[in-house]
Amino acid sequence: MLSGTYGIALAALLLAADLPLAAAHATLAPRATVGGRERVSINAGWRFQRFTSNPDSLSYSTLKSWILPSGNDFIKSSGSKKTRPTGTQPGANLNFTQASFNDASWEAVNVPHDWAIKGPFNAPGISGGMGKLPSNGVGWYRRVVSFSAEDAGKTVFLDVDGAMSYAAVWLNGNLVGGWPFGYASFRLDLTPYVKTGADNILAIRLDNPLDNSRWYPGAGIYRNIWLVKSNPVHVAQYGTFVTTPTISSSSATVSLKVEIENKGTSSQVVDVVTEIRPQDESGVQGSVVATLSKASATVAADGKVVVSASATVANPKLWGPKPNQTPNLYVAITRLSVNGQVIDTYETPFGIRTITYDKDTGISVNGQKIRVQGTCNHHDLGSLGAAFNYRAQERQLQMLQEMGNNALRTAHNPPAPEFLELADKMGLLVLDEIFDCWKKSKTKNDFSLIFDDWHEPDLRLFIRRDRNHPSIIAWSFGNEIPEQGGASGGTIGAELRGIVRDEDPTRQTTAGMNSASPDQAMAAQLDIIGLNYNGEGIGVSTSSSWPGFRSKFPDKMLWSTETSSCLSSRGTFVFPVTSGMSALVSSNSGGGEDPIGMRVSAYDLYSDWWASGSPDKVFFLQDKHPYVAGEFAWTGWDYLGEPTPYNDKARSSYFGIIDLAGFKKDRFYLYQARWAPNVRMAHILPHWTWPDRVGQATPVHVYSSADEAELYVNGKSAGRLKRGTSSWRFRWDSVVYQPGDLKVITYKNGQEWATDTKRTVGNATKLVLSADRSNIKGDGLDLSFITATVVDANGDTVPRASNSITFSITGPGLISTTDNGDPADFTVFSSLTRKAFSGLALAIIRSNVGAVGNLTISAASSGLTGASVTVQAS
Ligand SMILES: *[C@@H]1O[C@H](CO)[C@@H](O)[C@H](O)[C@H]1NC(C)=O
Ligand SMILES: *[C@@H]1O[C@H](CO)[C@@H](O)[C@H](O)[C@H]1NC(C)=O
Ligand SMILES: *[C@@H]1O[C@H](CO)[C@@H](O)[C@H](O)[C@H]1NC(C)=O
């Protein structure tokens, strides 16, 4: 479902995104018209050029006074709204904004597009923290859009779901406006500059300064982009707000506010009628279950009016998180009419549910306590970069959900709109976060430069965009904010909290505080106290900050907005292993590092000094403070940038529970043991192929929710252990390695629960390929994730194999990228040859647009028998 708040006939609209890469002079794709409004994808058919030095003498400072008015709809005080300058518009005569400019030599691209992801790595001026990929520079995008004669009199908006960053937009040489914050979903009104019955030239300039982020930001128009055509009188941008003030099992009150905007030249009397229907997970709507009382309003020319209405839904089907509840959704379909004629139709998907925040018991949804078993995640999609892809995002969330992860923190910025649609559908909870800094900077060119002008429009836009999603349980207006220790942490915090509560009085606010103390002024401004690491204590032995915060704020709910930051490289084990529950990563003996290979031991016991340590330590400390509502572990997936502890050397993170390619690290099973205890699972680590360790102590650990476990080494018991308090790890640290096999049998309440085995494997002999989905849509967007495994003659994975594998494909499709999850691999993601990392490599494939037929993906490697797998596109 790619509908956002505007649920319009989707199948038809998707066609627009599916156009093959055409010359820039493409006309608009098929349209869907529903009750007066059209929303047309203009993803296809762009021309793009990146410049590493400024090609046009423009900059944010020259464009600023023209761009600031674009935020006016999200500035409350009329005195603070900005006036568009008069006089010559910057860029009005620039070749790139002109129809006459010949862009044939520019790259043909479809968006979502991330210009940096193709590499190469080690881009000049880009740190490992930002992923070493060439995200900096000025990027220009150009496209022809054609408007028919029937478009005369319509209001035409450009909706950009995300463009990184400092977007400025020209239509036919007119500077329309722009939006600096690269994570914002913004709208510009093209109407005054549209030529109907003609080709129009749309030109977008983006500008990414160096040092603008602490992680990989991506670059370009990296989310979907739309044209919305409507009657001059229409529902305003993100102009609906659904609340469900009273809910019982027999009925629910649904209240709706609708903001009507009149861009026309005369006042209009508008009738507003809204019906409510259930909506299933594929977007299919059921029959009407309630109709809101009709409201009417007179909307002045160039004016806006908010109307309210409500209705009762009998026997409501509640939205609740999986696995114990069901994420039922409804849609409010609002029709505006003038003189009995429908002039606009607007759909607002929503859910009926209650959330309560309790100082002792934490979050409850629909009266049921839900312990927050969360992860934090950045926005990139691994080797696909920041370019949004629905299936890649869905795969990330599915794997997290399989682990028992029930909540997501959008670290540290607004996600793609479709991320929230997925969370709604899948029954995941979301802590929606907007800022990583306020006025004080973390990196030289971050949001602090524009905070004064843009914090209000960005924050109001963010809340208005997202507030109808039932998955969202709280708003975060800051992560590790540099102001947190001073007085301005209180004053700015109060202002931001005020804005959030003004836009959404139904949910609480929080922020992630590190270096936190209860006396800091910022803490008092949070409805929910959110601590990063401090709750469990940083390092190995620092004490918990929870008791201090609890006594200072006895009525507030508390949660850990960021925990652990455990480091590991999938499948890499370093000896000796610390005997502690958690240890600082270091190249010293027992510190878990292989500094030459830039790898951290996957015993899942190591973290940096500022972190709260192993998952085990976090679980123990969380359980010691049961009033804490839960945790968001850093991070669910590995991400581009921030390669602690190899800060400026590697290119992606070590924090993930799942690696960048989407392969599960051992740690996945540690979280699954705690978070999904009903899954019958036992997981042994490490692998058991250590020709270099014969006769040496080689600790064997098992993750399981069982309460007892017995390990057998070459058939002999190494002892039956009971699981410790708040521990999901069984340890046999003095096992001496001999080739052979390991077997664990686990028990719950004396009954056998789950088993696992590992055995010594032989030399690599062949490759095995498997596809995560063997049927994909032939739409050019859907993906299949193909895993290549290096195996021995028995078909067992060779755990340290690093064979170079070359992928190829036949049939109507292509290989998008390859990866292996190794943060220190600098082979570009577009390479068809990829070394296996710990026995595995990945190829991501997609079909051509409109493809029907079989795609055969093959993998070859010198000295190994190759393999192939077939994926059907339809
Ligand atoms: C476009 O204009 C810029 C700035 O004036 C100039 O440097 C550049 O050479 C022009 N490019 C083309 C292809 O005309
Ligand atoms: C595995 O490969 C090594 C090195 O090529 C060789 O010495 C050894 O005999 C092989 N082992 C087996 C079981 O084939
Ligand atoms: C694709 O492969 C499947 C099974 O391998 C086969 O049944 C089917 O006929 C093939 N389809 C086409 C269009 O070749």
Side-chain angles (χ1 to χ4, degrees), residues 616-627:
D616 312 60
K617 184 195 153 195
V618 172
F619 297 159
F620 190 82
L621 268 290
Q622 284 256 314
D623 287 353
K624 240 179 117 177
H625 303 102
Y627 50 83

Side-chain angles (χ1 to χ4, degrees), residues 479-696:
N479 170 61
E480 301 184 351
I481 293 300
E483 283 91 342
Q484 69 193 350
S488 57
T491 49
I492 300 173
E495 188 203 345
L496 298 180
R497 178 181 180 278
I499 291 172
V500 174
R501 299 301 297 240
D502 188 41
E503 295 289 340
D504 177 14
T506 73
R507 294 176 180 90
Q508 294 202 350
T509 64
T510 193
M513 296 180 68
N514 61 333
S515 308
S517 95
D519 297 327
Q520 291 167 344
M522 182 174 160
Q525 300 307 326
L526 307 178
D527 301 312
I528 304 169
I529 300 293
L531 295 188
N532 290 5
Y533 309 110
N534 291 201
E536 293 73 36
I538 65 165
V540 174
S541 56
T542 322
S543 60
S544 168
S545 299
W546 286 127
F549 276 91
R550 177 128 164 120
S551 65
K552 171 92 187 212
F553 300 106
D555 298 325
K556 292 192 180 190
M557 195 182 93
L558 315 164
W559 61 9
S560 291
T561 32
E562 207 165 303
T563 59
S564 185
S565 275
C566 182
L567 302 163
S568 64
S569 305
R570 177 182 51 80
T572 300
F573 300 90
V574 180
F575 302 91
V577 178
T578 179
S579 59
M581 177 198 261
S582 189
L584 296 189
V585 69
S586 81
S587 53
N588 300 335
S589 175
E593 265 197 71
D594 159 17
I596 294 157
M598 287 195 269
R599 299 203 171 121
V600 181
S601 182
Y603 275 98
D604 302 328
L605 293 165
Y606 300 97
S607 60
D608 214 338
W609 64 268
W610 47 263
S612 49
S614 67
D616 312 60
K617 184 195 153 195
V618 172
F619 297 159
F620 190 82
L621 268 290
Q622 284 256 314
D623 287 353
K624 240 179 117 177
H625 303 102
Y627 50 83
V628 176
E631 64 163 316
F632 292 90
W634 190 265
T635 49
W637 280 64
D638 269 328
Y639 55 96
L640 293 163
E642 284 200 326
T644 303
Y646 305 109
N647 278 326
D648 206 28
K649 300 197 188 99
R651 48 80 162 158
S652 54
S653 76
Y654 293 72
F655 298 115
I657 299 167
I658 298 168
D659 78 17
L660 198 75
F663 300 132
K664 294 166 183 167
K665 299 183 186 175
D666 294 286
R667 219 184 318 152
F668 181 96
Y669 300 97
L670 181 51
Y671 281 95
Q672 190 181 50
R674 174 174 165 96
W675 287 353
N678 295 329
V679 174
R680 281 185 176 264
M681 184 276 297
H683 177 83
I684 295 177
L685 64 155
H687 63 77
W688 210 236
T689 303
W690 298 105
D692 43 343
R693 298 194 60 75
V694 175
Q696 296 184 60

Side-chain angles (χ1 to χ4, degrees), residues 852-855 870-873:
V852 177
N854 288 338
L855 309 176
T870 296
V871 173
Q872 269 183 273

